[in-house]
Amino acid sequence: MHKVFTLYYDRFKDATTSIALKEANIKHTILCHNNKNKFKNIYGDIIETKKPKGIQYNLNSVLENINLNEWAIVMSDDYKKSYKLDKIKNKFIECDLKYIFKNLNETIELADKLNVKLVGLNSTGNVLYAQKKYGKYGLIDGRMFAIKKTNFSWRNDISCITDYYATIYHINKYKGNLINQQCYADFERYGKKGIGTLNERLENKKKDILILKNLYPNNVNIKDKKGQPKGTHIVIKR
């Protein structure tokens, strides 16, 4: 089993991921900034990174806690439920977290054979993307993913779209990633606390998008999306 990390911020009483991992009998490590004594419902080892506030810093702490060429599985702190594709009904149905880990570990094995360093799961729950089991060029959703340690690290100046940065970096360096499109774990998206609501992150996200666009102009397409403020939605181009 690869090392499992979940990143905790300020959901001191209502973070859910460590509880779910305990129930699935999955050993894990919680990384927080400098407040480990405030958390309840902790069922793994907990490490204070002493890093500044910002998900990018604790993502880099994950890499600091594994060896070169070792894989880590990373999860957000607000896990809800897991889903798998029912091929007969052609829809996603609820499953247990162990099923997700089994499939993610199988996908990591395949990634090693393909020289892929970043692995993800279906990020939308859209069954249309699940007609093929694997994808290469979509977003590796940062709520649950696996990464192999190389010389990659997250940039300190990108805090809201760290998953887009990792995705595009690895596409450019390794000609693709690996996404298991037929299962996923669902999390509380843009909830209060944690890394913040959509509105709380708005200005930082716009800044991050411009940085990413300057870094990878051929891979980033800024597009309008219904229900989202202008300048806050991007599409990854191959």
Side-chain angles (χ1 to χ4, degrees):
M1 171 67 76
H2 304 289
K3 290 179 181 176
V4 178
F5 297 86
T6 178
L7 309 183
Y8 275 36
Y9 299 96
D10 58 358
R11 292 190 175 99
F12 301 121
K13 295 181 180 180
D14 51 358
T16 55
T17 303
S18 185
I19 298 171
L21 289 167
K22 173 183 178 289
E23 292 173 349
N25 197 29
I26 295 171
K27 184 179 179 181
H28 59 284
T29 299
I30 298 104
L31 298 181
C32 66
H33 291 283
N34 57 3
N35 48 13
K36 71 177 184 179
N37 293 327
K38 294 184 178 182
F39 289 100
K40 309 297 182 184
N41 301 317
I42 295 296
Y43 298 99
D45 298 327
I46 185 165
I47 298 173
E48 284 186 339
T49 66
K50 307 296 185 182
K51 298 286 181 70
K53 183 180 179 182
I55 188 173
Q56 69 273 35
Y57 296 107
N58 277 355
L59 285 168
N60 282 328
S61 293
V62 169
L63 299 177
E64 292 168 7
N65 279 278
I66 60 175
N67 297 318
L68 187 66
N69 294 319
E70 185 178 9
W71 285 90
I73 295 172
V74 185
M75 299 177 69
S76 295
D77 64 352
D78 49 358
Y79 170 82
K80 292 171 64 177
K81 294 180 179 180
S82 296
Y83 295 89
K84 66 178 181 180
L85 178 67
D86 185 318
K87 294 182 181 179
I88 296 175
K89 296 179 180 179
N90 195 35
K91 68 176 186 178
F92 281 101
I93 60 172
E94 192 172 337
C95 65
D96 59 33
L97 187 56
K98 283 185 176 181
Y99 180 91
I100 302 299
F101 270 86
K102 177 179 179 293
N103 276 264
L104 187 55
N105 282 306
E106 289 173 356
T107 307
I108 290 170
E109 289 182 16
L110 178 57
D112 271 331
K113 296 176 182 177
L114 299 173
N115 194 37
V116 166
K117 316 297 183 183
L118 191 64
V119 167
L121 303 168
N122 189 305
S123 62
T124 64
N126 189 332
V127 74
L128 292 176
Y129 295 114
Q131 302 310 305
K132 291 184 178 180
K133 185 169 184 178
Y134 297 111
K136 289 182 64 178
Y137 301 110
L139 174 68
I140 301 292
D141 193 310
R143 294 172 180 87
M144 185 172 183
F145 66 97
I147 186 167
K148 189 172 189 175
K149 183 170 180 176
T150 60
N151 61 354
F152 167 81
S153 63
W154 277 272
R155 293 173 60 97
N156 291 344
D157 57 355
I158 293 179
S159 61
C160 289
I161 54 171
T162 51
D163 49 1
Y164 278 92
Y165 173 64
T167 297
I168 295 172
Y169 173 96
H170 284 84
I171 286 175
N172 276 274
K173 181 133 189 180
Y174 301 104
K175 310 307 178 188
N177 300 309
L178 196 60
I179 305 168
N180 187 323
Q181 301 279 28
Q182 297 187 346
C183 63
Y184 67 99
D186 195 20
F187 295 81
E188 184 69 41
R189 294 171 181 260
Y190 305 120
K192 292 182 179 180
K193 299 184 179 179
I195 59 175
T197 65
L198 188 59
N199 284 336
E200 289 170 342
R201 300 166 63 193
L202 183 61
E203 293 308 315
N204 279 338
K205 188 175 183 182
K206 288 181 179 179
K207 171 189 69 69
D208 287 359
I209 287 173
L210 293 178
I211 292 171
L212 196 59
K213 179 69 173 176
N214 286 331
L215 288 169
Y216 299 105
N218 295 326
N219 298 108
V220 176
N221 189 11
I222 304 173
K223 295 189 70 174
D224 292 339
K225 184 177 181 181
K226 186 177 180 180
Q228 292 196 19
K230 190 174 184 64
T232 62
H233 178 67
I234 60 176
V235 174
I236 296 171
K237 298 189 296 181
R238 290 162 54 175

